[in-house]
Amino acid sequence: MLEVHGIQKSFGSQPVLRGVDLSVEKGDVVAILGPSGSGKTTLLRCINFLEQADGGSMTFDGKTYQFGYVGKKEQNAMRRKTGFVFQNYNLFRNKTALQNVTEGLIIARKMPKAQAEEIGRRALDRVGLSDRYDYYPRQLSGGQQQRVAIARAIATGPDIIFFDEPTSALDPELTGEVLSVMRQLADDGMTMLVVTHEMGFARNVSSKVVFMEGGVVVEAAPSQEFFQAPKQQRTKAFLQMIEQHGIFA
């Protein structure tokens, strides 16, 4: 479904991605792990053309893109098949939960308002917010705001959803709300690529784990194999560190 080959990205003279390969099959839940500064978020943003990669290629849904040579029309066509959930929600503060979900459907996809609202309500119902259609972001908890953002992503019927550390701004209780929704999406067969520090989610929900450091993939393996029998010494050290700190859940 999604194949990335040799993606490279530098900010000025600082290389951030140094030739990353990545593969996602339909129905996969791929967790991208690694220390801060390893290039995880940049990888996600480059794949969805929120950042412009310097080199490499990507094949998505049968179409191949050469990074650095992709026009706006192609970028927009690719984005229409994807959803993106940001760290800090990125909601319109002056719009209700329902309006936040329907805005893209009405404006970008020219969908009739009544149809968009029907889809928006179904999406909010799916993330447990059937009683919050008319609430503004300021009236919602962080976990509820992130669930609105997930509803916005699923409302478009994407082939894949990218999650960029979706729980990093939340306290533990609210984190559980969001992870529960993501687990349900995984159970429903949604294809997801998730940058996360949530080790419990990576171990118990994801089908595959990619561990990055220094702008490269150190190790990629099915989740059970990754956590039970890592091959690379750096991966083993990483897992030992998080186990010592009780980060598994």
Side-chain angles (χ1 to χ4, degrees):
M1 177 189 222
L2 174 67
E3 296 278 347
V4 176
H5 298 286
I7 186 169
Q8 301 176 46
K9 174 66 179 177
S10 295
F11 291 106
S13 61
Q14 179 63 43
V16 179
L17 300 176
R18 304 169 182 259
V20 172
D21 295 338
L22 180 71
S23 175
V24 183
E25 301 297 332
K26 184 175 177 59
D28 273 351
V29 177
V30 179
I32 305 179
L33 308 179
S36 297
S38 58
K40 306 183 300 295
T41 289
T42 300
L43 173 63
L44 213 62
R45 292 177 65 84
C46 285
I47 291 173
N48 207 41
F49 302 114
L50 296 173
E51 297 279 358
Q52 183 172 328
D54 300 324
S57 65
M58 174 177 67
T59 300
F60 175 67
D61 197 25
K63 182 174 178 59
T64 298
Y65 304 84
Q66 297 294 329
F67 288 117
Y69 299 94
V70 183
K72 288 291 185 184
K73 185 176 180 180
E74 289 180 300
Q75 292 179 20
N76 290 335
M78 189 266 191
R79 287 199 193 112
R80 286 175 69 89
K81 299 178 180 181
T82 69
F84 202 104
V85 177
F86 299 85
Q87 294 181 32
N88 294 313
Y89 330 134
N90 280 27
L91 300 179
F92 295 107
R93 311 305 297 178
N94 63 336
K95 295 186 181 296
T96 66
L98 182 59
Q99 289 169 335
N100 267 282
V101 175
T102 60
E103 181 80 1
L105 300 176
I106 295 169
I107 302 301
R109 305 202 176 201
K110 311 300 182 186
M111 188 178 292
K113 182 179 179 181
Q115 181 184 355
E117 289 183 345
E118 181 180 349
I119 292 172
R121 284 190 288 268
R122 286 203 304 266
L124 288 166
D125 293 349
R126 193 172 174 186
V127 300
L129 293 174
S130 57
D131 58 345
R132 294 292 188 272
Y133 298 159
D134 298 323
Y135 282 57
Y136 289 88
R138 66 179 179 275
Q139 298 172 302
L140 300 172
S141 69
Q144 289 171 333
Q145 290 183 63
Q146 191 61 294
R147 283 189 280 155
V148 172
I150 294 173
R152 178 179 58 192
I154 64 178
T156 61
D159 293 337
I160 184 172
I161 300 180
F162 303 114
F163 291 84
D164 181 17
E165 298 191 24
T167 61
S168 64
L170 304 177
D171 64 35
E173 183 177 1
L174 300 181
T175 291
E177 293 179 11
V178 173
L179 292 178
S180 177
V181 170
M182 293 173 66
R183 180 188 289 270
Q184 184 59 57
L185 291 177
D187 290 344
D188 291 343
M190 176 64 71
T191 307
M192 300 190 285
L193 185 57
V194 185
V195 171
T196 184
H197 291 293
E198 298 293 337
M199 295 300 117
F201 177 88
R203 182 169 64 177
N204 301 321
V205 180
S206 71
S207 53
K208 180 180 177 181
V209 175
V210 175
F211 176 58
M212 292 182 63
E213 185 173 56
V216 300
V217 173
V218 176
E219 187 162 352
S223 300
Q224 186 175 2
E225 178 183 330
F226 179 88
F227 285 103
Q228 294 184 359
K231 294 180 173 61
Q232 301 301 319
Q233 192 59 44
R234 179 63 187 93
T235 309
K236 294 176 184 177
F238 174 78
L239 292 175
Q240 288 170 358
M241 182 273 294
I242 61 175
E243 188 168 10
Q244 288 169 2
H245 286 80
I247 299 175
F248 281 119

